[in-house]
Amino acid sequence: QSALTQPASVSGSPGQSITMSCTGTSSDVGAYNYVSWYQQHPGKAPKLMLYDVSNRPSGVSNRFSGSKSGNTASLTISGLQAEDEADYYCSSYTSNNTPVLFGGGTKLTVL
Amino acid sequence: EVQLLESGGGLVQPGGSLRLSCTASGFTFSSYAMSWVRQAPGKGLEWVSGISGSGGDIYYADSVKGRFTISRDSPKNTLYLQMNSLRAEDTAVYYCAKDRWGTITTCDYWGQGTLVTVSS
């Protein structure tokens, strides 16, 4: 089964807002609200930033927000900070035989 | 505090076997589904296998089906991944991840990973 589709890279300046997308199908992103986003810094384990499309775990900054429309989910980071520079992965539950799909990842560069 | 500690990685020849372990603490292990997720060098995340909290539901990615076996020992708070017939393309950091629920939906906590290198 194909991975979810994410742009390879996005960039923004400190203080700006950026949005990155995650496109799936009607069998995953479009069908369920089990869409999550992970942040991964080099050499580190992924960290859950959003779950169930738009919910933030305790301790995650409210600068991170999520939404979904049809088969596409989006992650928005407002007030960009240097520490936000990382790889971001989306994930979705799927009704296919493998219950979890990841996106290919988006590299966020803070200029 | 949730903690997940993977072990068992290392260098293995193609066709060989390896068993990964993940020791969990800080939560009621038997109540939550668990997954293995891998990341090849310089690549993205790939979900490999998952098991429900009860152990009754088990899933595999097509890329490992028939070669890898996931299991859990609740009294020992430990998750396993038995990897057989290893290939070069299985080379990756393998992460153990806890799910938010008893069934597989969302990985919320991750271990630091263990590196598996398949090479002659």
Side-chain angles (χ1 to χ4, degrees), chain B residues 32-50:
Chain B
Y32 295 92
M34 300 290 294
S35 289
W36 289 99
V37 180
R38 69 184 179 184
Q39 187 170 35
K43 302 297 184 182
L45 301 173
E46 179 189 16
W47 183 88
V48 172
S49 181

Side-chain angles (χ1 to χ4, degrees), chain A residues 38 40 45 51 89 93 97-98, chain B residues 39 60 65 100 104 107 111:
Chain A
Y38 301 89
Q40 187 181 35
Y51 64 92
Y89 295 91
Y93 177 81
N97 57 346
T98 53
Chain B
Q39 187 170 35
Y60 298 100
K65 199 171 295 183
R100 294 192 68 244
I104 296 166
C107 299

Side-chain angles (χ1 to χ4, degrees), chain A residues 1 34-36 38 40 43-48 50-52 89 91-93 97-104, chain B residues 35 37 39 43-47 59-62 65 95 99-101 104-113:
Chain A
Q1 186 174 359
Y34 291 125
V35 175
S36 52
Y38 301 89
Q40 187 181 35
K44 300 295 187 181
K47 175 186 176 184
L48 180 66
L50 295 173
Y51 64 92
D52 297 352
Y89 295 91
S91 174
S92 176
Y93 177 81
N97 57 346
T98 53
V100 173
L101 271 182
F102 284 99
Chain B
S35 289
V37 180
Q39 187 170 35
K43 302 297 184 182
L45 301 173
E46 179 189 16
W47 183 88
Y59 305 89
Y60 298 100
D62 289 342
K65 199 171 295 183
Y95 294 102
D99 206 281
R100 294 192 68 244
W101 304 106
I104 296 166
T105 59
T106 305
C107 299
D108 57 359
Y109 289 92
W110 300 60
Q112 286 306 301

